[in-house]
Amino acid sequence: MPELPEVETVVRYLRPKITGRKILDMSSDTPRLFRVRRSRTSTEMKSDFKKIRKQVIGRKIESLDRIGKNILFNLSGGKCLALHLMMTGKILLNPKERSAHDRLVIKLSGGVQLVFNDPRKFGRCRILEGGKVFPGQDALSLRFRGLKSLLGTRKSAIKNFLLDQRAVSGIGNIYSDEILWEAGVRPLRKTNSLREKDIKNLYRAMKRVLALAIKNGGTSMRDYRKPDGKEGGYYQLRKAHHRAGEKCSRDGATIRRIKIGARSAHYCPKHQV
Ligand SMILES: [Zn+2]
């Protein structure tokens, strides 16, 4: 699943290539991508495709942002189109070939095409109404004080805290393992057991791991590709995630894998305490 570094890589790649371009057309044969609740009280879904299409055609992309794992296309007239890649989604810029898993094609001025490809159809595209705030604080812009106060509001295993998008947004299974390895903190440590020193290490590790992953174009384990179709390079650099049975590069101990609910965590039993 794409996490913050993958989404940030997509945004940084696309920003200079699509900012200032006008949306000429938008086509999709996947109504599910534009699902919204039928009413505030209902759990029934309907598709907003036609409405969204009408609202974005003719508008200019003024800027491109990211919050957590959401890509935000800020359009002229104050509209904002938000796209979440979810499990298997990827955005391709002018792909040479088309695939049966292409779910959305956006034609831009200057002969540029954005294609959203998503084998499992979990992705989500919607218009954000003005002032809509996402829950959680973005992991890249989060400050030390912010992390400390968020930790104070929870009593859960630190791994689950990092995965909770309503607390820190943008971190998933790969980077939570990597951040905890770097910080020297065990995944099952309770958030309320962390001392000032642990929180400092965690904060530094978060910034370091995310920066290194972004620099390397993210992680391509399964579906994720950069918009030019190439793989990200972080997978080879990872220290703990999916390395169970291998030697820890810091101290030579054997990396372990444990289950935490439906997820798994990978950690070094020696230097992570
Ligand atoms: Zn170790």
Side-chain angles (χ1 to χ4, degrees):
M1 182 178 198
E3 301 179 30
L4 188 153
E6 290 76 48
V7 181
E8 181 68 18
T9 298
V10 170
V11 167
R12 288 188 188 182
Y13 182 91
L14 292 179
R15 194 176 274 139
K17 296 179 175 71
I18 68 167
T19 303
R21 296 195 188 275
K22 204 172 174 182
I23 298 180
L24 303 179
D25 199 7
M26 177 169 170
S27 56
S28 173
D29 59 3
T30 310
R32 206 187 121 81
L33 177 60
F34 306 91
R35 63 196 177 275
V36 282
R37 270 196 288 178
R38 219 167 250 290
S39 71
R40 198 168 284 212
T41 50
S42 163
T43 51
E44 217 184 307
M45 292 290 183
K46 62 169 185 154
S47 176
D48 252 0
F49 174 63
K50 280 185 187 156
K51 194 172 145 197
I52 292 174
R53 185 173 183 272
K54 224 178 191 173
Q55 284 180 307
V56 304
I57 287 182
R59 290 184 195 267
K60 201 167 92 178
I61 299 173
E62 291 192 329
S63 62
L64 205 56
D65 278 330
R66 178 199 55 75
I67 298 180
K69 302 176 193 171
N70 294 278
I71 299 171
L72 308 179
F73 298 82
N74 297 310
L75 307 178
S76 52
K79 296 276 178 201
C80 174
L81 184 72
L83 185 64
H84 197 300
L85 308 178
M86 299 300 279
M87 298 289 285
T88 58
K90 53 183 173 285
I91 297 183
L92 300 167
L93 185 77
N94 301 324
K96 289 195 186 79
E97 287 165 19
R98 299 298 297 278
S99 132
H101 298 142
D102 291 346
R103 305 299 176 199
L104 167 68
V105 177
I106 301 177
K107 282 190 180 153
L108 301 176
S109 54
V112 171
Q113 257 192 22
L114 280 181
V115 174
F116 179 65
N117 178 287
D118 187 11
R120 294 185 67 185
K121 300 193 203 180
F122 287 125
R124 192 165 189 196
C125 187
R126 57 201 166 129
I127 294 277
L128 292 185
E129 298 306 335
K132 156 98 180 148
V133 181
F134 286 96
Q137 293 189 46
D138 186 71
L140 206 59
S141 48
L142 180 69
R143 311 289 285 265
F144 177 72
R145 279 171 181 276
L147 175 65
K148 200 176 158 181
S149 74
L150 277 173
L151 283 165
T153 64
R154 308 287 160 119
K155 284 180 190 161
S156 60
I158 184 66
K159 169 89 178 178
N160 287 338
F161 170 85
L162 291 175
L163 292 175
D164 183 355
Q165 303 301 304
R166 291 163 302 174
V168 180
S169 77
I171 296 171
N173 222 14
I174 301 172
Y175 298 105
S176 54
D177 278 351
E178 296 298 296
I179 289 166
L180 292 172
W181 183 94
E182 180 76 23
V185 174
R186 277 197 195 214
L188 281 173
R189 270 286 288 280
K190 289 275 187 282
T191 47
N192 56 349
S193 79
L194 296 174
R195 293 158 194 260
E196 181 84 6
K197 196 180 117 244
D198 300 318
I199 300 174
K200 277 187 180 152
N201 287 338
L202 192 66
Y203 179 74
R204 274 191 219 117
M206 190 184 288
K207 301 294 168 176
R208 203 177 295 156
V209 166
L210 294 176
L212 183 68
I214 292 167
K215 197 179 152 204
N216 285 280
T219 303
S220 291
M221 279 183 71
R222 293 184 197 92
D223 298 276
Y224 167 74
R225 295 291 179 275
K226 295 189 279 180
D228 59 4
K230 291 182 183 148
E231 293 192 353
Y234 186 80
Y235 191 69
Q236 289 72 29
L237 303 175
R238 77 202 192 282
K239 304 289 193 181
H241 189 69
H242 273 229
R243 289 227 188 258
E246 296 179 35
K247 297 266 179 264
C248 171
S249 64
R250 193 176 285 185
D251 51 41
T254 304
I255 301 285
R256 276 186 200 161
R257 177 177 182 269
I258 48 163
K259 279 269 178 199
I260 302 182
R263 307 273 199 150
S264 60
H266 306 79
Y267 73 101
C268 168
K270 192 167 176 184
H271 85 267
Q272 288 179 251
V273 291

